[in-house]
Amino acid sequence: MKQPLLQFTGKSIYCAIADVHIDPWVPVQRAIITHAHSDHAKWGSKNYLAHTDSEAILRLRLGQDITLQTVAYGQTFHINGVTFSLHPAGHIIGSAQVRVEYKGEIWVVSGDYKLEDDHFCTPFEPVSCHVFITESTFGLPIYKWQPQQQVFDEIDAWHAQNKTEGKASLLMGYSLGKMQRILTNIKQTGETIYAHGAVYNVNETLRMAGYNVPPLTLITKETDRKLFQGALVLAPPSADGSSWAKKFAPVSLGYCSGWMAIRGAKNRRAIDQGFVLSDHVDWPDLNTAVRATGAEKVYVTHGFTSVFARWLNECGIDAAEVKTMYGNEEEGEAIPETVDNDITI
């Protein structure tokens, strides 16, 4: 029986011919990384390869002294007769799909991705292949995102209203990806934007590496609390409910996540305003992306795997779910308990 070009092992998505692991969750000799979120980029491997735009954050998170080779989108490299290249995934800065070709057979590992151009990272590009490995974080028909500009307008309006009421606007979301997207797209009025250390460190690392994101002001113990009145404050989800967050009163709490589309999610977190904004594909774009590859076989790796795999099979696309360790990003959230992972569509 022919050995598949890529295998799902207890360590990674593995190419045995090249002896290369894609997004391994344990230390390995050679790792190709799709993007710098912590569920895909783990510490301890001997050699890393990733897209050039991932370098600054990978070194911040994994250590400045890691052995890291970077390549541009579309640049090919060869290992033991296998041809590899990275292609835009549109998820966060530097995010990439990994194209793997051997003797005319092509597999693509998508990592995480979204189709809408966020005006900060390189937009997603479909890659033709025989086998496509996809996420399904929001792989249910109930997930359909509004155009992102509508969400950014909502954020601007919320902040403006809070200013008139003398409240700080504490906005929570992923430090890597979500916050750069927000800063790139909200109205820039020249006011000081304050940040939690986790957000500040990621943003400043990207700024120092030459990427165009607005500067933030780090909140320290010495920061005068009077400055927060009417200000915009950015923080990771881990700040929700913390003693750190209490210093901004009077405050309105906002939360950016695709999970805000679920009824009751905002109330469970005791926040004032939920913004439905995700760096993952929604249901329509998930289907669009899979079909754009022309793949004969699809593997669904994390999220609503059984639902989406079953749906693809019903649509005439050969699909199967596989178990991996992806899906728990550093500032990530679990699937809400009110959503059934085995729902029928």
Side-chain angles (χ1 to χ4, degrees):
M1 184 176 179
K2 179 183 177 183
Q3 177 178 292
L5 182 55
L6 296 180
Q7 303 169 50
F8 301 96
T9 72
K11 296 181 178 180
S12 67
I13 300 172
Y14 180 56
C15 180
I17 301 170
D19 191 21
V20 169
H21 299 262
I22 299 174
D23 287 353
W25 46 86
V26 298
V28 297
Q29 183 70 21
R30 290 190 290 193
I32 297 176
I33 304 300
T34 61
H35 65 284
H37 276 147
S38 63
D39 58 328
H40 290 259
K42 299 288 188 181
W43 179 85
S45 289
K46 181 133 180 106
N47 300 281
Y48 293 92
L49 184 142
H51 186 265
T52 303
D53 289 342
S54 288
E55 179 169 6
I57 299 300
L58 284 175
R59 292 194 184 279
L60 172 68
R61 292 187 158 183
L62 303 181
Q64 293 296 324
D65 59 348
I66 60 170
T67 301
L68 173 64
Q69 177 184 352
T70 63
V71 296
Y73 290 126
Q75 179 182 341
T76 58
F77 52 99
H78 309 276
I79 304 173
N80 198 29
V82 182
T83 300
F84 295 87
S85 56
L86 304 185
H87 303 266
H91 177 56
I92 63 170
I93 189 166
S95 60
Q97 304 172 80
V98 183
R99 182 184 185 274
V100 186
E101 180 177 1
Y102 184 70
K103 295 184 177 179
E105 182 180 355
I106 301 169
W107 290 50
V108 169
V109 181
S110 65
D112 292 330
Y113 62 100
K114 69 176 183 295
L115 271 57
E116 187 173 28
D117 182 0
D118 65 13
H119 310 305
F120 183 66
C121 68
T122 305
F124 175 90
E125 294 179 5
V127 181
S128 298
C129 58
H130 299 103
V131 182
F132 186 54
I133 301 174
T134 182
E135 60 148 308
S136 61
T137 303
F138 292 100
L140 291 178
I142 58 173
Y143 294 111
K144 187 178 186 303
W145 312 143
Q146 296 298 317
Q148 63 180 0
Q149 190 54 55
Q150 178 176 324
V151 181
F152 297 129
D153 289 345
E154 292 172 357
I155 293 173
D156 287 329
W158 166 74
H159 177 40
Q161 180 63 34
N162 292 335
K163 288 174 69 175
T164 66
E165 298 174 2
K167 296 179 180 178
S169 298
L170 177 55
L171 185 61
M172 292 173 283
Y174 290 2
S175 297
L176 175 58
K178 194 70 59 64
M179 286 306 175
Q180 293 75 49
R181 185 179 182 186
I182 290 168
L183 286 168
T184 299
N185 288 280
I186 61 174
K187 290 180 181 177
Q188 296 295 330
T189 60
E191 65 183 90
T192 299
I193 300 176
Y194 295 92
H196 182 283
V199 175
Y200 178 85
N201 289 340
V202 168
N203 210 65
E204 195 64 14
T205 296
L206 290 170
R207 280 191 358 98
M208 295 301 292
Y211 297 99
N212 185 24
V213 286
L216 298 174
T217 296
L218 176 65
I219 296 171
T220 68
K221 293 180 180 179
E222 289 72 37
T223 306
D224 187 347
R225 296 190 180 192
K226 294 179 182 178
L227 297 174
F228 300 139
Q229 185 174 355
L232 178 61
V233 180
L234 305 180
S238 59
D240 187 17
S242 68
S243 58
W244 180 89
K246 296 177 181 177
K247 69 178 69 178
F248 305 106
V251 62
S252 179
L253 300 179
Y255 199 99
C256 292
S257 171
W259 301 122
M260 290 296 105
I262 296 295
R263 182 177 300 176
K266 178 171 72 72
N267 294 335
R268 283 197 302 276
R269 283 193 170 271
I271 60 174
D272 302 301
Q273 186 68 50
F275 301 103
V276 183
L277 186 68
S278 176
D279 292 331
H280 298 263
V281 277
D282 61 2
W283 175 262
D285 281 355
L286 186 56
N287 281 272
T288 296
V290 167
R291 293 184 182 279
T293 67
E296 303 162 359
K297 176 75 177 184
V298 176
Y299 289 103
V300 188
T301 61
H302 56 285
F304 293 98
T305 54
S306 62
V307 176
F308 190 54
R310 184 167 66 244
W311 167 255
L312 291 177
N313 281 308
E314 291 173 357
C315 293
I317 299 174
D318 185 15
E321 62 172 320
V322 291
K323 302 299 182 182
T324 63
M325 298 292 287
Y326 309 127
N328 295 312
E329 294 172 11
E330 180 177 276
E331 300 129 336
E333 307 147 272
I335 294 173
E337 294 178 0
T338 54
V339 178
D340 183 358
N341 193 31
D342 198 32
I343 193 171
T344 299
I345 56 176

